Amino acid sequence: MLINQIEDFIRDIQLASIEKSKDKAAEVEQFRIKYLGKKGVISDLFEQFKSVPNEQKKEIGQALNRLKTAAQAKIEEFKQNVENTTQQSSSMDLTMPTDYSEIGSRHVLSVVMNEIIEIFSRIGFTVAESVEIEDDWHLFSALNFPHDHPARDMQDTFFVEKEEGKQEVALRTHTSSVQVRVMENNKPPIRIIAPGRVFRNEAISARAHCIFHQVEALYVDKKVSFADLKQTLLYFAKEMFGEKTQIRLRPSYFPFTEPSAEMDISCNICGGKGCNICKGTGWLEILGCGMVDPNVLESCGIDSKEYSGFALGMGVERMAMLKYQIRDLRLYFENDLRFLRQFDALV
Ligand code: DAH
């Protein structure tokens, strides 16, 4: 039936699409020839229309007109589509930067660690590194820790091996163990700085963490004196916290140094007047230090009558806290981008 044929063509036209076509302009032209060309579908149907009985002429004539309009409308739609596509490609800006992809930045602890290393390297200290899993000798015994020292306790130390009759093995609780390894394997003069991770069995809070970082410094030579230590500390404090920084040393105790001291710096927030960071004292506790105990030198095979030395050790998290007023230790390890991005600009 002619009427059915016409309706089928109308449906085909409505469903036609050139979206996926590679050469859209050519496809539109083919479409036009197929339906509206001289020998196309529509002119053929008009030819057949001539022999349609009179009583059907009205219905079929109307259908044919709908078909023709549908074909013309579709071609218009296709042409619009082709135009948009070409406009898009000709207005494409080839010099436009590609999608912005974010690059990472150094962690604030790395920044501070590198700064400490840099300051010491300017006065001749070189970096020494060693293992994170240490034996009792390098961690405690060679450093003159008495057998019942609380640092050897389960509460502080993560033991890896703790068997009767065997040497204990643990995650290092401080970087002072690197001192021992360096002194055992090198002859003075020794001037090293040992940065690294340390581990302690502590409950995690704003002020304590089970993983943190330390930097240890060791200088051993003939006639190294407490005055050398003090001058080195003053140099370090000024480089790290600013030219106006003052230091003070308080007597303290560490098994591996004699005499031992703790160094405070004048509060870099209030300039020493007293504020809530320094708890009103004007001073901030920074690091432990002292003259290497002769027992330690001897344990490492260095003649304590010929040589002397100083050592110091500091916490990197604490340095960063004081420098950038970070209030909570946990922030360092949570990897919250809102925290990390605050230090983007540091190198
Ligand atoms: N090892 C000590 C600690 O973990 C820090 C320390 C203090 C290191 C005094 C030293 C030093 O070299 O002389 O708390």
Side-chain angles (χ1 to χ4, degrees), residues 2 41-52 64:
L2 197 57
V41 169
I42 292 173
S43 88
D44 180 49
L45 288 170
F46 269 106
E47 207 51 47
Q48 295 181 45
F49 178 70
K50 286 177 187 160
S51 50
V52 165
L64 267 175

Side-chain angles (χ1 to χ4, degrees), residues 11 19 23 61 129 138 157 162-163 202 331 334 339:
R11 206 169 311 120
E19 278 317 319
D23 188 349
E129 282 181 309
H138 294 93
T157 308
K162 196 171 165 54
E163 262 179 61
E202 303 242 21
L331 288 167
E334 279 168 358
F339 171 73

Side-chain angles (χ1 to χ4, degrees), residues 319-331:
M319 291 291 152
M321 273 181 146
L322 296 175
K323 209 163 163 155
Y324 301 111
Q325 283 115 62
I326 298 161
R327 300 295 178 94
D328 192 324
L329 266 177
R330 289 167 294 197
L331 288 167

Side-chain angles (χ1 to χ4, degrees), residues 102 105-108 326 328-344:
E102 276 192 78
S105 59
R106 260 188 237 287
H107 192 279
V108 60
I326 298 161
D328 192 324
L329 266 177
R330 289 167 294 197
L331 288 167
Y332 292 125
F333 303 107
E334 279 168 358
N335 284 335
D336 184 334
L337 288 177
R338 289 168 303 180
F339 171 73
L340 298 176
R341 286 208 177 109
Q342 294 175 54
F343 308 99
D344 269 3

Side-chain angles (χ1 to χ4, degrees), residues 173-174 176 179 200 214 216-217 254 256-257 288-290 311-313:
T173 51
H174 57 180
S176 302
Q179 280 188 35
R200 280 186 206 172
Q214 288 188 333
E216 185 90 10
F254 300 102
F256 37 91
T257 44
C289 58
L312 59 98

